[in-house]
């Protein structure tokens, strides 16, 4: 594709490289994406994400147990922790959290798994990637009870200004997906407009949630710039400024080494 202005460097702070990882990464680098954070959602996908991070330049990995899979319980969490003990280096724990929309796992299991992963982030000094859907009150309650890890990120933020302020009050960052570009996402754009320059990220959540003008297609990390452009419009700033701010924030939060990034995206 190679259609992004090369002066702009982006980071896709949350994507799932399940299929065609090498091709998607190469395409993203050509389109100005310096780093992709490949998100683990269960043990198998966390292991695969770590392997892609080991072999693909400009890819970092997280390990986590998604709330949909929270019923897998302590055994899965122990396996995830063993990955760290074995010398693997994820950049964050998650995505983890609460999903009361689908409720593929019961709420008690979700809360227990979420609390355990917050504790894991504290234990290893790692960032935390949170999934919260229709569960804001309980999400904040669990966070407050366990303590908010440094580098906490609310991924695919779907709240409004009130939820954004609650996250910011806890020193968390807010990450915007392609939803921010949807016509009916006024409250999300309002949230994007108010977050401080050092407290927001952008993501694709690929292969889900393709942004306008690609809506309806299978999402790709190379399209993160469209998310960035939508957030920039909501904030009233140039896209180049949103690129610089979100890239700096992602690199700081996830500890991405600039010298390790792909040279063709710089």
């Amino acid at each position: 594709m190679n259609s992004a202005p090369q002066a702009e460097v982006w980071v896709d702070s949350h994507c799932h490289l399940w299929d065609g990882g090498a091709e998607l990464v190469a395409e993203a680098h050509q389109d100005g994406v310096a780093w992709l954070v490949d998100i683990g959602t269960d043990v198998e996908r966390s292991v695969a994400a770590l392997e892609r991070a080991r072999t693909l330049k400009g890819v970092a990995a997280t390990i986590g147990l998604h709330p949909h899979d929270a019923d897998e319980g302590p055994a899965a969490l122990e396996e995830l922790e063993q990955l760290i003990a074995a010398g693997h280096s994820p950049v964050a724990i998650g995505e983890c959290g609460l999903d009361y929309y689908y409720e593929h796992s019961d709420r008690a299991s979700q809360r227990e798994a979420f609390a355990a992963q917050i504790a894991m982030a504290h234990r290893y000094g790692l960032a935390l990637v949170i999934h919260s859907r229709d569960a804001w009150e309980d999400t904040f309650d669990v966070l407050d009870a366990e303590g908010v890890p440094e580098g906490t990120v609310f991924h695919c933020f779907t709240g409004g200004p009130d939820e954004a302020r609650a996250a910011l009050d806890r020193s968390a960052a807010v990450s915007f997906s392609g939803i921010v570009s949807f016509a009916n996402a006024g409250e999300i754009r309002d949230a994007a407009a108010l977050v401080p320059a050092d407290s927001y990220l952008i993501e694709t959540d690929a292969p889900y949630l393709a942004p306008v003008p690609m809506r309806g297609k299978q999402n790709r990390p190379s399209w993160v710039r469209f998310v960035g452009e939508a957030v920039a419009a909501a904030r009233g700033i140039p896209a180049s400024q949103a690129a610089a701010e979100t890239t700096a924030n992602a690199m700081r939060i996830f500890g991405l080494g600039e010298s390790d990034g792909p040279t063709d995206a710089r």
Side-chain angles (χ1 to χ4, degrees):
M1 295 178 70
N2 202 26
S3 57
Q6 291 304 295
E8 295 171 1
V9 176
W10 303 95
V11 172
D12 185 353
S13 68
H14 191 112
C15 60
H16 305 276
L17 298 173
W18 296 330
D19 299 307
E23 289 183 15
L24 291 170
V25 171
E27 177 187 88
H29 290 339
Q30 288 179 341
D31 276 0
V33 183
W35 281 92
L36 301 82
V37 182
D38 191 3
I39 303 295
T41 55
D42 58 22
V43 174
E44 181 180 358
R45 286 174 169 166
S46 294
V47 169
L50 288 168
E51 177 61 16
R52 284 187 291 268
R54 188 184 70 82
T55 58
L56 297 175
K57 193 172 181 65
V59 175
T62 76
I63 61 172
L65 188 65
H66 194 284
H68 290 347
D69 300 300
D71 284 341
E72 294 180 14
L77 295 171
E78 183 177 349
E79 286 188 67
L80 289 173
E81 191 154 7
Q82 286 174 352
L83 293 172
I84 300 174
H88 294 286
S89 299
V91 296
I93 302 298
E95 69 185 275
C96 59
L98 306 176
D99 192 313
Y100 292 174
Y101 180 81
Y102 285 111
E103 292 195 90
H104 291 323
S105 294
D106 72 75
R107 293 186 178 189
S109 295
Q110 290 187 45
R111 289 191 290 268
E112 289 170 8
F114 183 29
Q117 289 174 92
I118 296 171
M120 197 183 304
H122 282 301
R123 198 151 49 245
Y124 295 100
L126 292 171
L128 181 76
V129 178
I130 295 175
H131 171 114
S132 182
R133 187 168 185 186
D134 288 0
W136 288 109
E137 184 176 351
D138 280 7
T139 299
F140 290 131
D141 284 349
V142 175
L143 264 179
D144 291 344
E146 300 297 325
V148 183
E150 184 175 353
T152 290
V153 176
F154 280 86
H155 119 84
C156 193
F157 183 79
T158 55
D162 289 345
E163 291 78 16
R165 291 188 187 96
L168 295 169
D169 286 346
R170 292 163 172 83
S171 299
V174 178
S175 182
F176 297 97
S177 71
I179 296 174
V180 74
S181 68
F182 296 176
N184 63 350
E187 284 222 329
I188 299 175
R189 285 188 287 275
D190 290 343
L194 69 83
V195 295
D198 63 354
S199 300
Y200 76 109
L201 303 172
I202 55 171
E203 63 176 84
T204 60
D205 203 16
Y208 311 111
L209 300 174
V212 174
M214 301 299 184
R215 192 172 181 185
K217 300 179 181 180
Q218 182 168 295
N219 204 0
R220 311 174 75 82
S222 62
W223 295 345
V224 73
R225 69 186 185 277
F226 296 124
V227 182
E229 288 165 1
V231 171
R235 293 175 66 79
I237 61 174
S240 59
Q241 182 177 341
E245 290 172 352
T246 56
T247 293
N249 293 339
M251 294 182 75
R252 182 188 75 252
I253 289 168
F254 294 115
L256 307 178
E258 185 155 355
S259 62
D260 297 329
T263 56
D264 60 345
R266 298 186 181 279

